Amino acid sequence: DDLGVIGAMSGVAIHDGWKPYRHYDVDHALCNAHHLRELNAVGIGWDQGWANDLARLLVEAKHAVEDAQAAGADCLEVGVLHSIRVRYGRLVAKGFAANPAPEVGKRSGYEKEAFNLLVRLDGQRDDVLQFITDFNVPFDNNQAERDIRMVKLQQKISGSWRTLEGARNFCAIRSYTSTLRKHDRNVLNGLRQLFDGQAWLPAPT
């Protein structure tokens, strides 16, 4: 909000499903890395096979999209899309059968967590599976989290930043090195160019 990021963005906001994010008037998709972790907790921690199967289906769908992109396609075949959606629906139904709605007033416990996960996977399935219908939407938001993680860690360590100028310098350096990596550029060479007064910049799109 402070930097006007949401107001200026285009595309799709990918997040973990936290309800306040829905107040933003943008297109939404859900991060499947978060879903894989939650399904892993249910499937392995609580020995529920539907969760393991659904996690495998999401990963399989991710690979199907990657294979299609590698082949030059911009969408999955209709039959593949139908198969993913049907299997997804069946596994969610199995999950509800194994995890009925918890007792009224029950606020915690694995039954509540599994049920809440299923409510999200069922009620927001278009947002969960948006990556299979729109190849511009990534499977997860891991890249965005990696981009801000070091900034948040720096805030927590002893000393943090002494000045606003120091924080800005840190963010400028991180932004430059991160951009180099995303474009498969050698970071050390990019820094050499920077100190030679010839900062590398990606071609405008």
Side-chain angles (χ1 to χ4, degrees), residues 38-152:
E38 292 179 85
L39 289 167
N40 182 69
V42 176
I44 297 178
W46 306 329
D47 193 26
Q48 295 196 18
W50 69 269
N52 294 327
D53 292 340
L54 185 49
R56 280 191 288 268
L57 175 61
L58 289 174
V59 173
E60 178 187 326
K62 177 178 183 289
H63 291 159
V65 170
E66 292 170 345
D67 290 343
Q69 289 177 308
D74 58 5
C75 62
L76 291 178
E77 295 180 0
V78 174
V80 175
L81 282 172
H82 179 71
S83 174
I84 291 171
R85 287 182 174 130
V86 168
R87 291 159 62 195
Y88 182 97
R90 288 173 179 169
L91 289 170
V92 168
K94 284 185 178 181
F96 276 121
N99 298 278
E103 299 175 10
V104 175
K106 186 173 179 61
R107 294 171 180 252
S108 61
Y110 80 86
E111 300 97 336
K112 179 75 171 179
E113 292 179 25
F115 181 77
N116 287 345
L117 172 61
L118 283 160
V119 168
R120 187 190 327 135
L121 294 173
D122 184 39
Q124 301 178 45
R125 67 176 63 192
D126 288 341
D127 291 345
V128 176
L129 295 176
Q130 193 168 164
F131 73 97
I132 68 173
T133 57
D134 183 353
F135 284 6
N136 291 316
V137 175
F139 180 78
D140 55 50
N141 69 351
N142 284 351
Q143 182 62 62
E145 292 195 352
R146 282 194 291 269
D147 285 338
I148 65 172
R149 185 171 294 125
M150 288 306 298
V151 178
K152 299 302 292 183

Side-chain angles (χ1 to χ4, degrees), residues 15-37:
H15 51 79
D16 60 3
W18 194 42
K19 287 185 178 179
Y21 294 150
R22 295 287 178 176
H23 294 305
Y24 292 111
D25 186 21
V26 297
D27 293 329
H28 297 268
L30 295 181
C31 171
N32 284 298
H34 284 83
H35 292 143
L36 291 180
R37 288 194 290 271

